[in-house]
Amino acid sequence: MKRRDEIVVLTDAVLITCIVQRGAADAVVDAATEAGAQGATIFYARGTGVRQKHLGVLGITVNAEKEVLYIVAPGDQADHIFERVYVAAKLDTPGMGMIYMMPLEKMATYVPPEIAARFSEQSDQHG
Amino acid sequence: MFLLKLRRGSVSNPTNMANPAVSASVPPFRSEFRVLICIMPDGRGKEVLEALRRETGVISAFAHHARGIGTHSLRHRVYAQEKQILTVLVEASRADDVFHFLYFSAGLDAPRAGMIMMGHAFRGAGVVPLNETESEAS
């Protein structure tokens, strides 16, 4: 039985951060959810860079308005989601954005009690 | 190329670091930090920031707006919610306590409220408290 002040912590999670042109995020989220991601969080940002003038005609064709996506994925699915997002966001094209993923030491969210109980039973059985 | 520029700059110059006369303006050395990213329901950011400062003394945090997209696992139906993201920089030794505090003060123990994650940083400088800058200026 979980105590009121206890947290079920998940490990082996990865945070995928993807920065894309404004308006492109929805297509990227669709690709990520199709690849197995449970969801994504999106916010706006303004991007700039020293090489921006090389990416378009005098730099004016590159839209500085960006969307940043946070996708939290299990470690074993992260590479697959990363690759699908990379393709969907067309990140092999100059000026389209960038993507990186970093390990999370731990993360916590609401875990239904029945699922938490099932996992604690399994861990008890495995010693 | 970028790495080369950093090494040549005065910020990472080891002689500058060793000089106590400029110690006040020298950036901190490498250390162990944790970055906490807390995704919570919209409208809660300000009160959580205030509670974080009041209860734990951590002021190296900022909040911004976002939108969250999730899937229902049973019906594969997509839903969207307004969210706020709180990003906190904290010393590694205090990270677990702050993690615990944020989880409950942001109300993440409820379905679809959001999540909190902890990442790693090896060099950082937090927000300087206002009273410290005032005492240096006077």
Side-chain angles (χ1 to χ4, degrees), chain A residues 5 26 40 42 105-106 108-109, chain B residues 67 69 96 100 114 116 118:
Chain A
D5 60 344
D26 287 337
I42 305 154
E105 202 165 288
K106 61 181 178 180
T109 185
Chain B
R67 73 180 198 269
I69 293 175
D96 286 333
H100 194 272
I116 180 167
M118 183 192 285

Side-chain angles (χ1 to χ4, degrees), chain A residues 88-117:
Chain A
K90 301 183 178 71
L91 294 179
D92 53 344
T93 306
M96 289 302 278
M98 66 185 213
I99 185 170
Y100 57 90
M101 62 180 189
M102 54 187 271
L104 293 175
E105 202 165 288
K106 61 181 178 180
M107 62 91 61
T109 185
Y110 171 77
V111 179
E114 61 272 16
I115 293 178

Side-chain angles (χ1 to χ4, degrees), chain A residues 2 4-7 9 15 25-26 29 33 37-44 51 67 70 72 102-111, chain B residues 1 34 37 39 64-71 73 83 85 87 96 99-100 103-104 108-112 114-120:
Chain A
K2 189 166 85 82
R4 173 71 179 82
D5 60 344
E6 276 183 346
I7 304 176
V9 168
L15 174 65
D26 287 337
V29 171
T33 50
Q38 295 287 311
T41 307
I42 305 154
F43 54 94
Y44 294 130
R51 292 169 185 268
E67 283 180 310
Y70 283 168
V72 179
M102 54 187 271
L104 293 175
E105 202 165 288
K106 61 181 178 180
M107 62 91 61
T109 185
Y110 171 77
V111 179
Chain B
M1 186 64 183
R34 297 290 181 269
I37 300 170
I39 301 169
H64 60 85
H65 187 260
R67 73 180 198 269
I69 293 175
T71 55
S73 58
K83 295 285 184 193
I85 300 180
T87 307
D96 286 333
F99 184 92
H100 194 272
Y103 181 83
F104 288 108
L108 302 184
D109 52 343
R112 288 182 216 135
M115 68 177 86
I116 180 167
M117 26 194 168
M118 183 192 285
H120 175 251

Side-chain angles (χ1 to χ4, degrees), chain A residues 6-108:
Chain A
E6 276 183 346
I7 304 176
V8 177
V9 168
L10 307 169
T11 56
D12 193 29
V14 171
L15 174 65
I16 301 172
T17 305
C18 183
I19 301 164
V20 295
Q21 302 276 7
R22 190 160 178 172
D26 287 337
V28 176
V29 171
D30 286 345
T33 50
E34 274 176 29
Q38 295 287 311
T41 307
I42 305 154
F43 54 94
Y44 294 130
R46 191 170 71 87
T48 187
V50 288
R51 292 169 185 268
Q52 196 182 54
K53 65 180 179 182
H54 300 300
L55 297 175
V57 179
L58 300 175
I60 54 175
T61 57
V62 178
N63 188 4
E65 300 293 318
K66 305 289 183 201
E67 283 180 310
V68 183
L69 289 89
Y70 283 168
I71 301 165
V72 179
D76 54 349
Q77 292 181 30
D79 282 312
H80 177 59
I81 295 170
F82 182 96
E83 287 158 19
R84 292 288 296 272
V85 167
Y86 177 88
V87 172
K90 301 183 178 71
L91 294 179
D92 53 344
T93 306
M96 289 302 278
M98 66 185 213
I99 185 170
Y100 57 90
M101 62 180 189
M102 54 187 271
L104 293 175
E105 202 165 288
K106 61 181 178 180
M107 62 91 61

